[in-house]
Amino acid sequence: MSVLSTPSASLNWREQSGCLYHDLRVRLRNAGLRPTRQRVGLGWLLFARGDRHLTAEGLYEEASKARVPVSLATVYNTLHQFTEAGLLREVAVDGAKTYFDTNTTQHHHFFVEGENRLLDIEGQEIEVATLPAIPDDMEIVRVEVVVRLRRKEV
Amino acid sequence: MSVLSTPSASLNWREQSGCLYHDLRVRLRNAGLRPTRQRVGLGWLLFARGDRHLTAEGLYEEASKARVPVSLATVYNTLHQFTEAGLLREVAVDGAKTYFDTNTTQHHHFFVEGENRLLDIEGQEIEVATLPAIPDDMEIVRVEVVVRLRRKEV
DNA sequence: TTACGTGCAAATAATTTGCAGTCCC
DNA sequence: GGGACTGCAAATTATTTGCACGTAA
């Protein structure tokens, strides 16, 4: 499997040139985002390795290691721009930090307490059977399920 | 219905004297917490009006209005002590703030985007049909469902 | 009395913002 | 060239902590 061809990373691409770097730039431009050095660098880190759950701080550290010159403020800005453009999804779990998920398809999450790790639950593996009535003037944006896990006592 | 006799507020009380103030003190002591002026004051605000979803800041404001002399730091400490003692439940939703729920029974939540409001979904109204396999060395702590709502466009 | 609590202010932690300078198209 | 983007540092927001003082048992 090509590094940029995971389902969620490739789903809406308009072009597939075979050059992954070029494809990323096209993808950004299609999202209305100028493919600047830092956006391409961060996009590469985010989308080139399959589905990931990252915090801003985490991505910033990866960028440093990968010699992508970027400031923490720009990492925050970029993550929000990517989210707005539909390339990422913000995930709400316990804890102060915000996680960003490269898998934007319908799915849910495991959250490992203590380790603060997020794992995908694929769409079919969980199912919400019945939904309660909601007020007339409201509509459902999304249903989020978080299964909290803990490492068993030994 | 007596103000201190909502299901979740009265569930585990050992004594019911008829004096709600006294009952609260007993409840705190049973939880291993000395019934100090601020704990009783905050407990009163939390448990005397049915199920509530409050942030630390929100409770602090209520306390000010109710002339309960307490500092914001103590509100935070008290909320965490109550949570540890099982009198409250922390709820993880989007946004930076932490919510505390006086309903500690099994149930889920609506979250109204924009208004940042939390509403209970009673246990029977929603149902998770199938759960995915989890690693051998893990156990499920809790399954949390958040149904995000948005006010309809007019 | 005396350990447990509390208030205050300072410390953290995560995130956002303002603005001068830089870079893509 | 010009507007979009970025870096930096300072500002915000939510929360925690350290320590002198107060209070319930």
Side-chain angles (χ1 to χ4, degrees), chain A residues 77-90:
Chain A
N77 291 335
T78 303
L79 285 171
H80 286 135
Q81 290 154 358
F82 282 12
T83 302
E84 196 117 340
L87 305 178
L88 292 175
R89 200 176 113 182
E90 235 171 308

Side-chain angles (χ1 to χ4, degrees), chain B residues 32 34 36 38-39 69-71 73-74 81:
Chain B
R34 218 195 253 171
T36 61
Q38 19 289 305
R39 281 182 186 153
V70 69
S71 71
T74 297
Q81 290 155 358

Side-chain angles (χ1 to χ4, degrees), chain B residues 122-142:
Chain B
E122 289 308 325
Q124 302 71 18
E125 297 183 90
I126 199 167
E127 198 177 318
V128 176
T130 54
L131 274 181
I134 63 172
D136 266 355
D137 57 342
M138 298 280 188
E139 58 189 348
I140 293 182
V141 177
R142 186 161 69 208

Side-chain angles (χ1 to χ4, degrees), chain B residues 94-150:
Chain B
D94 190 279
K97 288 186 183 167
T98 303
Y99 287 80
F100 293 86
D101 190 343
T102 60
N103 180 352
T104 56
T105 64
Q106 162 70 38
H107 70 288
H108 299 290
H109 293 101
F110 286 121
F111 181 69
V112 184
E113 297 193 345
E115 304 174 29
N116 284 32
R117 217 150 39 86
L118 265 186
L119 303 170
D120 281 346
I121 301 176
E122 289 308 325
Q124 302 71 18
E125 297 183 90
I126 199 167
E127 198 177 318
V128 176
T130 54
L131 274 181
I134 63 172
D136 266 355
D137 57 342
M138 298 280 188
E139 58 189 348
I140 293 182
V141 177
R142 186 161 69 208
V143 178
E144 287 184 351
V145 180
V146 176
V147 179
R148 289 166 178 285
L149 300 180
R150 168 207 300 148

Side-chain angles (χ1 to χ4, degrees), chain A residues 57-123:
Chain A
E57 196 73 40
L59 181 56
Y60 178 60
E61 279 169 25
E62 284 204 8
S64 305
K65 282 181 197 148
R67 305 278 156 72
V68 175
V70 69
S71 71
L72 183 56
T74 297
V75 171
Y76 275 103
N77 291 335
T78 303
L79 285 171
H80 286 135
Q81 290 154 358
F82 282 12
T83 302
E84 196 117 340
L87 305 178
L88 292 175
R89 200 176 113 182
E90 235 171 308
V91 182
V93 283
D94 190 278
K97 289 186 184 167
T98 304
Y99 287 79
F100 293 85
D101 189 343
T102 59
N103 180 351
T104 56
T105 64
Q106 162 71 37
H107 70 288
H108 299 292
H109 293 101
F110 286 122
F111 180 69
V112 184
E113 296 193 346
E115 305 173 30
N116 285 31
R117 215 150 40 85
L118 265 186
L119 302 171
D120 281 347
I121 300 176
E122 289 308 326

Side-chain angles (χ1 to χ4, degrees), chain A residues 34 36 38-39 69-71 74:
Chain A
R34 219 195 253 173
T36 62
Q38 19 286 310
R39 282 183 185 151
V70 69
S71 71
T74 297

